[in-house]
Amino acid sequence: MIERISNKAELRAAVAAARKEGKRVGFVPTMGALHEGHLSLVRAACARTDLVVASIFVNPTQFSPGEDFEAYPRPIEADLSALSAEGVEVAFTPTPATMYAPDTQVTVDPGPLAARWEGALRAGHFAGVATVVAKLFSIVRPDLAFFGEKDYQQLKIIERLVLDLDLGVGIVACPTVRERDGLALSSRNAYLSAQERQTAIAVPEALEAAARAVAWGELDVPAIEAAMRDAFQVRVAASDVAVSLDYAAVIDPATLEPLERVAGTARAIVAAHVGTTHLIDNCPLAPPAA
Ligand code: PAF
């Protein structure tokens, strides 16, 4: 049976009681509207820790003006049942007023990893993410916290946040969960019309094109990126949906800087607007063994 806690002091007490019994605490931070991707994080947390806390908090500070903060889906009862069915014992569901005092002054600067890609498209987004994750870690004090590789830039920023601020939380990266046709699961997929949903597979198709090119020995990044854009456009050209490709790039998996050549491991990243829905995805790239 899941316990829903909205108050910071109560949450701290519940975690402290578990710790006293020698339990290891796992944490899955979410914004709700849970899907199989979130549940895969929960399953990983249940497998590796003794008490799993999941938070559901649609964090206002990571939405830029004009984004979908108000419209973001909040199916709280369904989310609590899904977490309970997976064996989560505590759901932390604070309100914005619980998380942020009206006179809040200090925020976390996510640094250079936030400069490009989503950081360039969404002003202030990663400062909002880094700040709320630091606050959630400080409230929950987990041993391990679980994040999806789908939000790759977010994952790298959080790993760095933990390192640079000595937060003492182990970050566990979990693989992206996909639909059968390759579309990465995302709460925002719910916004897509049927036609947009069909067109959205342009995003994983661009990644597949990158992986194929590298597997065939293409290591020149401009050529790989051209293959990504071509694959994307082939799918988009077959549809009437308004689509814009925000970026299709091959980057260093640690620094997130653009690469000129794939020498060791690399990451292909794609972001696009399909209709008004912003979709992101990524995959690892490795040159064929010599
Ligand atoms: O990935 C998300 O759902 C959010 O960015 C997170 C990590 C829960 C912070 O609000």
Side-chain angles (χ1 to χ4, degrees):
M1 182 67 191
I2 194 161
E3 186 183 5
R4 178 177 177 179
I5 301 179
S6 302
N7 172 290
K8 288 188 267 194
E10 275 179 42
L11 191 277
R12 283 195 170 110
V15 172
R19 275 200 189 294
K20 234 175 163 175
E21 293 172 24
K23 291 185 175 170
R24 271 166 67 76
V25 178
F27 179 43
V28 181
T30 83
M31 298 209 301
L34 303 180
H35 50 64
E36 273 299 312
H38 295 110
L39 299 182
S40 73
L41 306 181
V42 165
R43 285 176 203 129
C46 289
R48 294 188 53 178
T49 59
D50 309 305
L51 174 84
V52 176
V53 178
S55 61
I56 299 176
F57 178 59
V58 184
N59 173 36
T61 68
Q62 68 187 76
F63 289 78
S64 310
E67 286 190 344
D68 55 343
F69 172 67
E70 300 296 342
Y72 201 85
R74 291 166 171 84
I76 185 69
E77 293 308 328
D79 286 349
L80 291 172
S81 315
L83 292 174
S84 186
E86 293 297 337
V88 172
E89 285 171 70
V90 178
F92 181 45
T93 59
T95 61
T98 303
M99 289 300 287
Y100 296 107
D103 62 344
T104 292
Q105 297 187 12
V106 177
T107 57
V108 177
D109 175 351
L113 288 175
R116 294 182 190 268
W117 320 122
E118 290 309 288
L121 288 176
R122 306 179 66 190
H125 169 65
F126 285 123
V129 170
T131 302
V132 81
V133 169
K135 285 167 71 66
L136 288 166
F137 283 180
S138 155
I139 297 164
V140 178
R141 296 180 191 256
D143 296 287
L144 297 177
F146 297 77
F147 290 86
E149 285 182 345
K150 193 211 141 234
D151 296 307
Y152 188 76
Q153 190 173 12
Q154 167 174 284
L155 171 67
K156 292 291 126 184
I157 289 169
I158 288 164
E159 286 172 353
R160 193 74 218 190
L161 169 82
V162 167
L163 189 71
D164 288 347
L165 299 189
D166 291 313
L167 299 182
V169 177
I171 302 299
V172 182
C174 299
T176 301
V177 180
R178 297 179 181 280
E179 302 274 12
R180 288 164 86 96
D181 64 3
L183 184 69
L185 296 193
S186 162
S187 304
R188 289 193 167 97
N189 291 355
Y191 298 149
L192 298 169
S193 70
Q195 223 198 342
E196 287 169 350
R197 169 65 188 79
Q198 271 193 331
T199 311
I201 57 171
V203 171
E205 283 173 348
L207 295 175
E208 284 156 23
R212 216 170 25 244
V214 172
W216 288 344
E218 180 59 81
L219 302 180
D220 178 59
V221 166
I224 300 166
E225 290 175 348
M228 294 171 78
R229 286 192 300 273
D230 287 351
F232 186 89
Q233 287 310 336
V234 165
R235 172 66 56 185
V236 167
S239 123
D240 294 335
V241 170
V243 177
S244 61
L245 182 60
D246 296 311
Y247 53 79
V250 176
I251 63 171
D252 181 295
T255 65
L256 310 185
E257 290 296 311
L259 290 173
E260 278 304 312
R261 246 188 117 62
V262 177
T265 55
R267 204 96 193 167
I269 57 170
V270 176
H273 278 82
V274 177
T276 54
T277 305
H278 184 53
L279 299 177
I280 60 173
D281 202 352
N282 67 88
C283 74
L285 299 175

